[in-house]
Amino acid sequence: MITVFGSINLDLVVSVPRLPKAGETVSGPDHQSFAGGKGANQALAAGRAGAEVKMVGAVGRDAFAVPALANLREAGIDLSDVRELDGATGLALIGIDPSGENQIIVASGTNARVRADWLEDSLTDAHVLILQGESPYEETIRAMGLARGAGASVFWNPAPVPAGDPGAGLEAVNTLVVNESEAALLAGSLGIADGVDTFLDNVVRPGRAVVVTLGSEGVAAAKGDDRFRFASPSVDAVDTTGAGDAFCGALAAALDHDLPFGRALREGVAAGALACTVTGAQSSAPMKADIVRLADQIV
Ligand code: RIB
């Protein structure tokens, strides 16, 4: 059973000929709107990857709340602890260039007012709690504490990396997932030298696996004394938005089903690759059968 404590957004997406520099305006055609938010994306991805999932977070009392939750509702994700608060639902403004690369500005809205105590009494040792970096860091830390107290496993994707001491978060984590730039930021604040392998060697601990996603290059990871590296299958990428969330959701679902760590990583890599082939952070989250089929081809 997976519980996600995190953000829920509506994404407004514009395809642009190139991503703007600071101070520049770049135009595209009509915008598209999609459900998004790293928390909601990971909840949907885990659900589509076969897990039973509960989402804990907040939306505003506005017109964006319903479309922001529509995919989760349709997928049967438990939304009983998604609160409706005064204020605006989280909003992401996303530009996508022809190679599928993106630039994202997030207006946090009610995501800035989620509270860890909404999780009280709902976590057990049968749970994996997934958290990201779009919720207030102090509430994320409290949520991790509640999870550890209940014997649940803590899965943290600090995207974006929170300001403040990452040590408190790391102490509680069983599975850490970062991309290369997030690893570099964490390494800087932990006083670790550059490099993915150095990061893995310095951050892995007994009871704490560490995963660095490498975009189209795949993934590198450490668990105990074991080291893993899997290349990503090549796909025609149209939109990389949500690829990391698809990776996290599928990896967490596989771990929740007690798959061996190497197989779980392959399923994550397969899900991340498939997510790049469709526009939209949630519309692109692949189904279990497609993940399994592609993961079987990753060696
Ligand atoms: O990871 C992609 C997500 O980041 C988007 O859906 C957007 O809402 C932002 O939170």
Side-chain angles (χ1 to χ4, degrees):
M1 172 85 188
I2 287 178
T3 298
V4 179
F5 180 70
S7 57
I8 302 165
N9 291 338
L10 192 75
D11 293 353
L12 298 182
V13 179
V14 185
S15 294
V16 287
R18 61 192 167 70
L19 299 174
K21 300 190 187 77
E24 192 185 16
T25 300
V26 176
S27 299
D30 293 357
H31 78 274
Q32 293 177 280
S33 64
F34 298 101
K38 293 183 197 301
N41 298 346
Q42 293 179 15
L44 185 74
R48 288 199 180 157
E52 195 181 333
V53 184
K54 178 175 196 174
M55 177 78 215
V56 180
V59 292
R61 292 185 219 282
D62 61 9
F64 289 165
V66 170
L69 291 172
N71 290 337
L72 297 183
R73 205 176 293 286
E74 190 184 320
I77 307 301
D78 181 347
L79 301 178
S80 57
D81 273 326
V82 172
R83 311 279 169 114
E84 199 181 85
L85 305 179
D86 287 337
T89 298
L91 183 69
L93 306 169
I94 304 179
I96 303 174
D97 77 8
S99 75
E101 277 307 323
N102 63 44
Q103 205 166 60
I104 305 180
I105 294 176
V106 173
S108 298
T110 47
N111 294 311
R113 287 188 281 128
V114 297
R115 294 185 32 184
D117 58 24
W118 299 346
L119 287 162
E120 252 161 30
D121 305 327
S122 66
L123 294 169
T124 70
D125 60 1
H127 283 81
V128 176
L129 178 67
I130 310 182
L131 313 103
Q132 308 78 34
E134 291 188 324
S135 305
Y137 187 44
E138 60 280 12
E139 295 300 318
T140 298
I141 298 294
R142 279 194 197 113
M144 288 177 176
L146 288 172
R148 292 304 296 247
S153 180
V154 175
F155 183 117
W156 190 30
N157 171 224
V161 173
D165 171 23
L170 285 175
E171 280 309 307
V173 164
N174 301 105
T175 308
L176 177 75
V177 180
V178 288
N179 64 23
E180 281 177 279
S181 55
E182 291 151 2
L185 276 172
L186 286 177
S189 46
L190 295 168
I192 297 170
D194 282 349
V196 169
D197 291 330
T198 309
F199 182 80
L200 294 174
D201 290 342
N202 279 277
V203 181
V204 71
R205 294 279 184 284
R208 182 201 299 164
V210 181
V211 180
V212 180
T213 58
L214 307 170
S216 59
E217 301 295 307
V219 71
K223 183 174 186 190
D225 291 332
D226 296 327
R227 298 294 178 268
F228 304 81
R229 200 174 262 260
F230 297 111
S232 178
S234 129
V235 292
D236 288 330
V238 298
D239 178 9
T240 57
T241 314
D245 298 329
F247 174 91
C248 287
L251 173 63
L255 295 175
D256 186 46
H257 286 142
D258 294 325
L259 295 190
F261 196 64
R263 173 66 196 188
L265 287 170
R266 289 206 292 272
E267 297 206 356
V269 169
L274 289 167
C276 294
T277 63
V278 178
T279 303
Q282 288 185 15
S283 25
S284 63
M287 304 300 289
K288 176 81 184 166
D290 297 317
I291 295 170
V292 167
R293 200 173 307 120
L294 190 57
D296 286 347
Q297 296 169 28
I298 299 173
V299 287

